[in-house]
Amino acid sequence: MNSEVERRRTFAIISHPDAGKTTVTEKLLLLGNAIKLAGTVKAKKSGRKAKSDWMKMEQERGISVTTSVMQFLYQGYTVNLLDTPGHEDFSEDTYRTLTAVDSAVMIIDAARGVEQRTRKLMDICRMRDTPIMTFINKLDRESLEPLELIEQIEEELNIECVPMTWPVGSGRSWQGTYHLAEDRFSLYERGHASELHEYQSIHGLESTESKEWLDGSHEDYIEEIELVREAGHDYCPGKFAAGHQTPVFFGSALQNFGVDQLLSEFVREAPPPQPRETRERFVAPKEDGFSGFVFKIQANMDPKHRDRIAFMRICSGAYSRGMRMRHVRLNRDIRVSDAVTFMAGERTMAETAYPGDIIGLHNHGTIRIGDSFSDGEKVAFLGVPNFAPELFKRVRIQDPLKSKKLNLGIKQLSEEGATQAFFPINSNQVIVGAIGTLQFDLVAFRLAQEYGADCIYEPSNIYTVRWVKSDHPADFLEFRRKAADQLALDGDDQLTFLATSRANLQLAEEKWPTIQFKDSREHNTH
Ligand code: G4P
């Protein structure tokens, strides 16, 4: 058990769309021997057979609604890569997946630098001080100056960078990278994009071979490296573990250069499964008793059976097929004989699984986001919150007689994490909030399919929501009375403030200093 925990690395990739997440993922799977040829992941994305109407919708849009988990072995480590939906399928699941990992890899496009989505995902990682390694991608294209990229990351993301490799040129003049700790150049050669290969290397920054190879630019390059060493930070494992420092690698995923250097360092330095906080106590991964929590629910695998898969991260103990576990919220024991694991995106029946692994539990809607499972102990995991949606729409039902169905459907879908629902206390409107636009379409689709409630969306003037609480009952009462027009209950009957603009929120916060306005809501606290 100890060694199984020690050799596990569970992580996700954070990046702005098009920075290269899919391409890096593919090269990681190639390195982990989970696929044989590059190109497989992309081909799969579009070539999958439709299994349900929902999947048809996925295909029509050419995107993947499903988040998968990929497990592979590398240098003796078992690596679990949790996919974070990034394009139109960007959603709250993307954020919540980051609550289930022990570390993350950040990909930056060398020509574009730090982009908006990366900033947001970094904020989510900060909530748990997740350790982050960085890969600066697309060096085969004209890039920003490496020093400028480092400065941008440090300033905009407020994290110290420790360059592990440093590029020699970029774009057409890209020659390779220099590994600072190993004092070795790796030479870039085109033509190895889809296969594993060894780089040619030259040892010693100041060696005669290097001088010959770099020709007239040798002196300048030595100076540049001196500057990087002087101005840069020394690697400090403690700072990395606390999310204050990020080791940085340069390369090109498409050209299959540098991802292996990143992965070798990553498996060595990234943390194994860590203790996790529950409402009751911290649970250590090496404890014998089984425990885990659900961070994502994927529905409609088979619409006829309303089958759902709940993705559970195991936090302690081991899963074995057929075992009994306690569904803590319902205080009920279940026997699990058909949990699935995910090898390179393919589902297989899980025989055993360990802390850090993700298993998928079949269910028919009994499991909610944030639910905890244990060997019988009453433990409720914290840190799998709802995040304030960023987009809002008013829902109108076509047939008013079906409004009860609509409300039920919207509540159940919000328990699953597909979207969030808000019911203003002073009106009978229903508001749906989401992080990505596709969530609205999915919810409308499922409301019609599963609840027979056809609905249309109308624009809403809501800018954001905040969950409100206070330790001052009298103030809270007054606030509830005076701000009633802007208050709503969420799908779990928690009180929220619907702000119409940033200024509106700020004003409310200033006016009501004893009320807490929170941008996420923890499950399992009430
Ligand atoms: P994402 O999942 O983060 O959205 O990015 P993805 O890997 O799909 O990459 C986005 C685009 O960038 C793709 O091109 C991909 O081939 C390209 N790309 C990724 N890594 C590199 C790299 O190291 N160098 C260069 N030059 N390009 C890279 P596309 O034309 O949008 O897609 P495709 O037609 O290649 O599938």
Side-chain angles (χ1 to χ4, degrees), residues 296-411:
K296 176 184 154 61
I297 291 173
Q298 185 174 293
N300 261 24
M301 302 309 292
D302 183 349
K304 272 189 234 105
H305 299 106
R306 294 213 174 161
D307 193 18
R308 277 148 223 216
I309 289 198
F311 287 70
M312 180 203 285
R313 173 182 160 124
I314 300 180
C315 297
S316 66
Y319 164 82
S320 59
R321 193 171 169 182
M323 78 183 280
R324 296 185 79 80
M325 55 178 86
R326 170 82 44 93
H327 189 171
V328 176
R329 180 174 53 81
L330 301 180
N331 197 22
R332 191 191 297 157
D333 283 353
I334 54 167
R335 179 183 289 281
V336 182
S337 53
D338 57 353
V340 289
T341 47
F342 310 85
M343 284 297 287
E346 297 293 336
R347 278 187 233 164
T348 47
M349 198 66 82
E351 295 298 333
T352 45
Y354 296 95
D357 289 346
I358 312 299
I359 55 173
L361 304 182
H362 292 274
N363 76 103
H364 299 286
T366 43
I367 302 181
R368 293 185 193 172
I369 295 280
D371 275 1
S372 302
F373 288 80
S374 74
D375 61 347
E377 187 183 343
K378 195 168 177 302
V379 283
F381 284 93
L382 299 176
V384 198
N386 273 10
F387 294 93
E390 288 154 24
L391 306 164
F392 298 87
K393 286 187 181 175
R394 241 176 24 210
V395 189
R396 198 156 60 76
I397 184 96
Q398 309 260 36
D399 174 358
L401 292 177
K402 294 206 170 141
S403 66
K404 261 199 178 149
K405 280 201 167 160
L406 174 79
N407 284 11
L408 176 74
I410 288 221
K411 268 197 170 190

Side-chain angles (χ1 to χ4, degrees), residues 422-429 431 462 464-469 475-490 494-500 504 508 512 515-517:
F422 300 93
F423 304 93
I425 56 176
N426 271 359
S427 79
N428 49 11
Q429 280 179 19
I431 303 213
I462 296 163
T464 190
V465 303
R466 291 292 182 265
W467 283 273
V468 284
K469 291 205 308 200
D475 291 358
F476 202 43
L477 211 64
E478 165 114 343
F479 169 70
R480 292 183 70 138
R481 201 164 50 78
K482 292 216 166 129
D485 282 345
Q486 284 193 267
L487 297 181
L489 295 176
D490 72 1
Q494 301 298 302
L495 196 67
T496 57
F497 177 77
L498 307 176
T500 51
N504 175 246
W512 304 97
I515 312 289
Q516 296 165 34
F517 293 79

Side-chain angles (χ1 to χ4, degrees), residues 16 86 113 212 280 323-324:
H16 192 80
E212 271 169 30
E280 293 74 17
M323 78 183 280
R324 296 185 79 80

Side-chain angles (χ1 to χ4, degrees), residues 40-303:
T40 326
V41 175
K42 283 246 155 161
K44 248 194 197 162
K45 245 188 177 177
S46 48
R48 190 171 33 197
K49 291 252 180 314
K51 287 192 187 121
S52 68
D53 287 351
W54 188 358
M55 285 194 176
K56 257 187 238 148
M57 180 161 147
E58 278 180 39
Q59 276 192 334
E60 276 161 22
R61 292 174 173 254
I63 48 146
S64 146
V65 177
T66 53
T67 304
S68 47
V69 179
M70 286 155 270
Q71 188 178 73
F72 59 91
L73 298 175
Y74 189 71
Q75 296 180 346
Y77 294 88
T78 300
V79 183
N80 293 309
L81 168 55
L82 278 53
D83 188 21
T84 37
H87 286 260
E88 290 90 336
D89 50 349
F90 177 61
S91 70
E92 219 180 329
D93 281 339
T94 311
Y95 291 171
R96 253 187 314 253
T97 296
L98 294 177
T99 67
V101 298
D102 301 302
S103 55
V105 165
M106 171 165 74
I107 302 176
I108 303 275
D109 182 326
R112 307 180 74 97
V114 174
E115 294 174 90
Q116 170 262 337
R117 186 76 60 75
T118 314
R119 279 186 213 110
K120 181 72 202 178
L121 294 171
M122 196 60 184
D123 286 346
I124 307 286
C125 288
R126 279 254 154 64
M127 292 173 76
R128 300 185 58 246
D129 296 332
T130 306
I132 290 168
M133 270 198 197
T134 301
F135 185 70
I136 299 186
N137 190 28
K138 306 198 187 181
L139 260 241
D140 58 324
R141 287 203 185 148
E142 293 311 315
S143 311
L144 297 173
E145 284 298 319
L147 274 173
E148 192 184 335
L149 284 161
I150 296 288
E151 242 176 57
Q152 250 191 40
I153 297 172
E154 297 209 325
E155 276 173 23
E156 296 200 25
L157 303 177
N158 192 21
I159 189 165
E160 283 179 9
C161 289
V162 185
M164 306 300 287
T165 60
W166 198 255
V168 185
S170 75
R172 241 173 274 154
S173 63
W174 186 34
Q175 288 178 266
T177 53
Y178 172 69
H179 198 296
L180 280 92
E182 293 172 5
D183 187 23
R184 191 165 44 81
F185 288 97
S186 298
L187 276 46
Y188 168 59
E189 243 181 275
R190 291 186 80 87
H192 299 290
S194 58
E195 56 182 24
L196 295 177
H197 71 290
E198 298 268 317
Y199 310 123
Q200 281 197 51
S201 65
I202 296 178
H203 203 81
L205 178 63
E206 305 195 22
S207 67
T208 7
E209 288 101 312
S210 304
K211 192 170 176 184
E212 271 169 30
W213 180 61
L214 285 173
D215 211 10
S217 57
H218 190 225
E219 294 287 310
D220 290 347
Y221 194 77
I222 293 177
E223 260 177 44
E224 193 175 334
I225 292 294
E226 266 167 21
L227 186 72
V228 172
R229 286 195 205 276
E230 273 167 28
H233 304 272
D234 289 332
Y235 175 61
C236 164
K239 281 189 173 179
F240 166 62
H244 298 322
Q245 205 178 61
T246 180
V248 179
F249 290 83
F250 288 83
S252 161
L254 190 67
Q255 303 300 338
N256 203 5
F257 190 99
V259 179
D260 54 341
Q261 295 171 332
L262 167 82
L263 183 58
S264 301
E265 183 76 9
F266 176 80
V267 290
R268 267 201 310 271
E269 294 297 318
Q274 298 294 296
R276 300 202 70 118
E277 191 179 6
T278 69
R279 196 170 48 192
E280 293 74 17
R281 64 183 184 88
F282 275 87
V283 171
K286 291 176 188 168
E287 290 180 21
D288 289 335
F290 176 85
S291 70
F293 64 84
V294 170
F295 62 94
K296 176 184 154 61
I297 291 173
Q298 185 174 293
N300 261 24
M301 302 309 292
D302 183 349

